[in-house]
Amino acid sequence: MTLSKNVEFQEPTERIASTSIQPHTKSLEYSSSLDQMDEEIFQSMEPPKRSTGRLIMHSMVMFGRENLYAVEAAFVTPILLSVGLPKRLYSLVWLISPILGFILQPVVGSASDYCRSRWGRRRPYILTLGLMMVLGMALFLNGDAAVSAAFNNRISAEKTTWAIVITMLGVVIFDFAADFIDGPIKAYLFDVCSHQDKERGLHYHALLTGFGGALGYVTGAIDWESTFLGRLMGSEFQVIFFLSGSIFLLFLIVHLCSIPEIPLNDLSETVLLLEHEVLAAYGSIDKTQNGDVKQDKPRKRSYIHVEDELEEVSKAQKRMTLKSLMLALATMPSHYRYLCVCHLIGWTAFLANMLFFTDFMGQIVYHGNPYAPHNSTSYLIYEHGVEIGCWGMCINALSSSVYSYLQKSLLPYIGLKGLYFLGYLLFGLGTGFIGLFPNLYSTLTLCTLFGVMSSTLYTVPFNLIAEYHREEESETPLNQKTTKDYRGKGIDCAALTSMVQLAQIIVGGGLGFLISLAGSVVVVVLFASTVSLIGCCFVAIFIRYVE
C-alpha cells in the first residue's frame, strides 16, 4: 500500500529556479510510515508474551477438574452399589457419556470457534460446562441422601428407583461436562498465547492436573465422618462435595479471569480489514504521469464488501450441522488424522489399565475375592487391596506432575518425537512387568510410569496441534488468508479430545467380554501393555513432526 513504488516522476526539461520540481519527500516519508504501520499491525496479531503467573492462573482449572475426576473415580463404584444399581446397567452408565461426547464434542469445539459473545469465544462454554460439572457431582454424591429425605427415609421400590435415576443422571452429566470442557480450555490457551507460551501453558496444565488428581484421591481416603466437618454436614459425601466443589469453583473463576479474550466480532473485522487492506481504498495512487492520475482496476474490496463477506460467513456458520462437522473431521489433513488415531491408541491403553487397576490390586496382588460375602476375610482382603490401589493412583498423579515439569528440560534434547515415544514405551513396559510379575512393592513403584503416560497424553498431542497451526500460519500469511482457508483451533482440539470418548467406548464395551473370556483381570493389564507398545510403532512411523 505504498505510494512511492507506483509513482513515476519525470525529469524537468529545463532548470527552473523559482519553481523547480523537487521529490515529494513528505509523501515518501508518509508512504514509509504507512508501510511501517502495516507491519506493526500484522505483528500485533501475535498474542503478547504472558507472565508465569497468568499461565498458572489459566492452568488452575485443570487442578479443580482433575480433583473432581479423582473423587468420582474413588466413589463411583461404591455409590452405585449402595443405591442398588443392577449389574446389567453398569455398561449403560459407562457408555452413555462417552457416546454423547464422541458425537457432540466436535459440535462444541466448532461452536466455540464461532461464538460471538462479547466475553470471548471459549469462556462462555467453559463457564457453562464447569457449572454442569458441579451439578453432576452434587447429584452423584448427594442424590441418595436427597431422595431419602424426600421419602422420609422410607424403604420402598419407588425410592430405590429414584435414587438410581438421580445418581446415574449425576454420573452422566458430570462425565459429559468434564470430558467436553477440556477442548475449550485448550483452545482458549491457544487463542490467547504465543507459540512459546502455549508450550509453557500445556506443561502447567499437566503439572496442576497431577496435583489435583493426587488431592482428590487423598480426599477420598480420609475418614471424614469422624471429623468436625463430617458431624456438621451429616455425611462424608457431603463434606467431600463441599471441599471439592468449592476448590473447583474458585479455580474456575481464577481461570476465567486469567487472560482476556478478543471477541470474535472484533477479531473478524480486524482480520478482514487487514486482509483486504481497506486503508488503501482511500487516497491510493497507482500511477502519476504528466500531472494525470491514472488508477488501475481496483484490487482491494471496499468496507461494504467486507461486511457482506462477514454476513455470508455468519450464515454459513448457522447452517453448520453435525453431518458437515463429521465430514470436516473425515476430510482433515492426514497428519491431523494420524495424530487422532495415535491419541486413540494411547488413551485406550491408559484407560484400560486405570479403570481396572484397583480391581487388579484387590484380586491379583492381594488375592481377594470381590464376590465373597461382605463379612468374609476374602472380601475384606479385597477391599484393602482396593484401598492400596487408590494410593497407587495417587502415586500416578504425583509422578504425572513431576514428569510434566521434567518434560521442559527433556524437550531440547529429544524433541516432541522423543517425548511421545518415551511415554508410550515406558507405559507399555511398566504395565507388562506388572501383569507378568504382580508384586505389591514393584507394582506401586511402576505406578510412577503411569504418570509418565498421562502427562504425555495431556501435553505432547496438543503441542503437535499447536505446531501444525503455527506451520499453516507461517505458510499462509494473515494478509493472504481468507475465511475459507481458516482452520479453527477449537474443532481440531475437539477432534483430538473426542478420541478419549471413543477410547472409553472401546474399553467399556470390550474389556468386560475379554475378562470373562480369560477368566482373570490380568488380561486387562497385558492388553494395555500390548496396545501401548503398538502405539510406540505408530508414534515413530506415522506421526509428522514440524522441524
Side-chain angles (χ1 to χ4, degrees):
M1 52 188 283
T2 61
L3 302 176
S4 58
K5 292 181 180 179
N6 299 320
V7 177
E8 298 179 1
F9 294 95
Q10 285 189 337
E11 187 69 17
T13 56
E14 60 184 42
R15 185 176 183 84
I16 303 175
S18 59
T19 59
S20 62
I21 299 177
Q22 301 293 333
H24 296 279
T25 56
K26 291 185 178 180
S27 298
L28 296 176
E29 291 174 0
Y30 179 68
S31 173
S32 177
S33 67
L34 286 178
D35 283 343
Q36 184 178 1
M37 181 184 69
D38 209 18
E39 293 176 1
E40 290 175 354
I41 291 175
F42 281 108
Q43 291 174 358
S44 67
M45 296 303 294
E46 174 74 10
K49 181 176 176 59
R50 306 297 180 182
S51 65
T52 300
R54 290 286 181 179
L55 293 177
I56 292 177
M57 289 172 63
H58 189 279
S59 306
M60 283 183 175
V61 69
M62 300 303 294
F63 183 101
R65 171 181 177 267
E66 198 66 19
N67 183 36
L68 290 183
Y69 247 142
V71 169
E72 187 209 26
F75 288 103
V76 62
T77 301
I79 289 179
L80 290 175
L81 289 173
S82 66
V83 299
L85 180 70
K87 292 184 178 180
R88 65 179 180 275
L89 295 179
Y90 280 169
S91 59
L92 181 63
V93 174
W94 297 121
L95 290 178
I96 289 177
S97 178
I99 289 175
L100 289 175
F102 180 70
I103 295 174
L104 299 179
Q105 181 87 273
V107 178
V108 173
S110 180
S112 71
D113 277 336
Y114 302 118
C115 176
R116 294 185 174 275
S117 169
R118 294 301 302 172
W119 204 35
R121 290 187 289 172
R122 319 297 179 183
R123 290 188 290 179
Y125 284 88
I126 295 172
L127 177 61
T128 302
L129 293 171
L131 295 178
M132 288 178 62
M133 286 179 62
V134 176
L135 174 62
M137 184 60 66
L139 296 176
F140 167 58
L141 289 177
N142 304 306
D144 188 29
V147 170
S148 297
F151 281 84
N152 295 321
N153 293 319
R154 297 193 312 269
I155 299 177
S156 64
E158 186 179 2
K159 170 185 174 296
T160 302
T161 300
W162 276 107
I164 292 174
V165 169
I166 291 179
T167 303
M168 287 181 60
L169 182 63
V171 173
V172 171
I173 291 176
F174 176 83
D175 283 341
F176 177 85
D179 291 340
F180 268 56
I181 201 173
D182 190 54
I185 288 174
K186 294 294 191 299
Y188 177 19
L189 176 70
F190 289 178
D191 288 342
V192 299
C193 291
S194 63
H195 181 72
Q196 291 77 12
D197 288 340
K198 289 173 189 176
E199 295 181 352
R200 294 169 58 209
L202 287 174
H203 286 299
Y204 289 131
H205 277 205
L207 181 69
L208 293 180
T209 294
F211 285 142
L215 179 62
Y217 289 118
V218 170
T219 302
I222 297 175
D223 182 13
W224 293 103
E225 289 188 353
S226 60
T227 64
F228 170 75
L229 287 176
R231 292 189 296 269
L232 179 64
M233 297 186 178
S235 72
E236 65 173 343
F237 290 153
Q238 294 178 5
V239 175
I240 291 171
F241 169 72
F242 171 75
L243 294 176
S244 300
S246 299
I247 291 172
F248 175 75
L249 288 175
L250 175 62
F251 288 173
L252 177 65
I253 294 173
V254 172
H255 167 76
L256 296 174
C257 298
S258 59
I259 304 174
E261 288 188 90
I262 301 177
L264 182 60
N265 286 335
D266 298 344
L267 183 62
S268 299
E269 290 180 9
T270 302
V271 171
L272 287 172
L273 288 173
L274 290 174
E275 175 188 339
H276 300 292
E277 294 186 25
V278 177
L279 289 177
Y282 177 75
S284 59
I285 300 176
D286 287 343
K287 284 188 179 181
T288 304
Q289 275 188 338
N290 300 325
D292 295 329
V293 179
K294 294 184 179 181
Q295 187 168 346
D296 293 340
K297 186 177 180 179
R299 293 175 290 108
K300 314 300 181 185
R301 280 173 281 185
S302 67
Y303 187 74
I304 297 176
H305 294 145
V306 174
E307 288 184 329
D308 290 340
E309 184 166 340
L310 275 174
E311 185 177 355
E312 290 300 320
V313 171
S314 178
K315 291 179 180 178
Q317 292 162 4
K318 292 179 181 178
R319 292 193 299 266
M320 190 169 292
T321 62
L322 175 61
K323 180 180 179 180
S324 63
L325 285 174
M326 297 305 293
L327 181 62
L329 292 175
T331 57
M332 63 170 36
S334 60
H335 52 281
Y336 283 94
R337 191 180 304 113
Y338 287 144
L339 183 61
C340 288
V341 173
C342 190
H343 205 52
L344 172 63
I345 293 173
W347 273 105
T348 300
F350 186 72
L351 290 176
N353 179 72
M354 302 307 290
L355 291 179
F356 291 90
F357 180 73
T358 53
D359 188 47
F360 173 82
M361 290 289 291
Q363 289 196 57
I364 305 303
V365 177
Y366 273 82
H367 306 288
N369 183 7
Y371 305 106
H374 287 194
N375 57 353
S376 65
T377 303
S378 182
Y379 183 80
L380 294 177
I381 291 175
Y382 172 80
E383 274 196 331
H384 183 63
V386 170
E387 293 175 358
I388 299 300
C390 288
W391 285 109
M393 300 283 281
C394 183
I395 294 173
N396 152 63
L398 291 174
S399 65
S400 176
S401 296
V402 174
Y403 182 71
S404 65
Y405 183 79
L406 294 177
Q407 278 185 326
K408 294 164 57 177
S409 302
L410 293 174
L411 183 61
Y413 298 99
I414 62 178
L416 287 176
K417 182 175 183 178
L419 289 176
Y420 215 3
F421 184 85
L422 186 65
Y424 280 61
L425 178 64
L426 292 180
F427 182 79
L429 294 177
T431 50
F433 279 116
I434 288 174
L436 295 174
F437 309 104
N439 177 272
L440 174 61
Y441 298 106
S442 63
T443 299
L444 291 178
T445 301
L446 291 173
C447 282
T448 55
L449 300 183
F450 301 167
V452 173
M453 182 63 161
S454 64
S455 178
T456 300
L457 292 174
Y458 278 124
T459 56
V460 176
F462 294 97
N463 269 322
L464 288 172
I465 286 283
E467 291 281 359
Y468 295 160
H469 277 280
R470 183 190 184 192
E471 182 184 49
E472 291 174 358
E473 290 169 0
S474 64
E475 290 177 352
T476 307
L478 183 61
N479 62 328
Q480 300 177 11
K481 200 170 188 179
T482 67
T483 53
K484 295 179 181 179
D485 298 326
Y486 177 71
R487 286 191 57 82
K489 298 181 180 69
I491 190 66
D492 289 332
C493 291
L496 197 62
T497 54
S498 67
M499 296 299 104
V500 181
Q501 282 81 45
L502 185 56
Q504 289 178 353
I505 295 172
I506 294 173
V507 171
L511 283 188
F513 173 76
L514 190 61
I515 293 172
S516 300
L517 188 65
S520 174
V521 76
V522 173
V523 70
V524 175
V525 181
L526 296 178
F527 170 81
S529 176
T530 303
V531 172
S532 183
L533 293 176
I534 292 174
C536 283
C537 301
F538 202 92
V539 166
I541 298 173
F542 293 100
I543 300 299
R544 185 169 71 83
Y545 302 90
V546 179
E547 297 295 335

